Amino acid sequence: MRYTSRYYNEDGSKTKEWHEVQALLSQKEALEAERRELEKRFPGCNSRWNKKEGGYVFCSEKSGGVHRDWVGFPRRYFAPGSSSWRCCCVHERDLDNPHVKLYPDCDPSATGCKTDPEKLRKLKS
């Protein structure tokens, strides 16, 4: 008698469930690759905060630990289907991307912006 399981038939062939699991794993790998690509395309901002000056987000050639040959502009990045956001540095070619939004009171051409927690909170509601 051969060993059978949820994933293998008695004759050793793979079951429907095995193929379904493999399809899910492939989808997961594709989504992970897409996430990594988006993090390269929209790397995280640098940020700092102190009691006297408040918050500040800015972009450099090494924002978010990612080295590149462009500086970028700080924006709020909304992942597709998400209502939350993260700070990212946006290349000028991507400024019209529908998933990026300007920080309140920030000059669109600035490489750094003061952040006002109260205004950002209001944007969430």
Side-chain angles (χ1 to χ4, degrees):
M1 179 173 180
R2 284 187 166 262
Y3 173 76
T4 61
S5 73
R6 182 176 184 180
Y7 303 111
Y8 292 95
N9 295 313
E10 280 189 28
D11 65 359
S13 63
K14 296 168 179 141
T15 64
K16 176 182 172 188
E17 287 85 1
W18 185 91
H19 291 288
E20 289 171 352
V21 168
Q22 293 305 308
L24 289 172
L25 289 172
S26 292
Q27 288 176 346
K28 181 180 184 268
E29 289 171 4
L31 288 172
E32 183 62 24
E34 183 180 348
R35 184 193 62 76
R36 284 191 305 271
E37 182 58 35
L38 284 172
E39 283 185 4
K40 281 183 191 176
R41 185 173 172 191
F42 300 106
C45 297
N46 297 311
S47 64
R48 66 176 181 250
W49 184 91
N50 66 52
K51 194 172 184 177
K52 182 180 175 187
E53 297 174 13
Y56 188 74
V57 292
F58 60 102
C59 297
S60 69
E61 290 181 345
K62 190 188 172 191
S63 303
V66 177
H67 292 273
R68 58 194 176 278
D69 60 359
W70 52 274
V71 173
F73 306 94
R75 297 292 191 269
R76 296 174 297 131
Y77 177 80
F78 292 82
S82 176
S83 60
S84 62
W85 54 271
R86 66 177 176 82
C87 184
C88 72
C89 293
V90 179
H91 191 282
E92 63 185 337
R93 70 175 173 260
D94 288 316
L95 289 172
D96 62 349
N97 184 295
H99 299 291
V100 297
K101 306 287 182 211
L102 189 62
Y103 275 87
D105 301 326
C106 184
D107 182 320
S109 63
T111 59
C113 302
K114 288 187 119 188
T115 57
D116 182 333
E118 187 59 34
K119 287 183 180 180
L120 291 172
R121 260 191 296 280
K122 287 180 182 177
L123 290 174
K124 289 184 179 182
S125 46

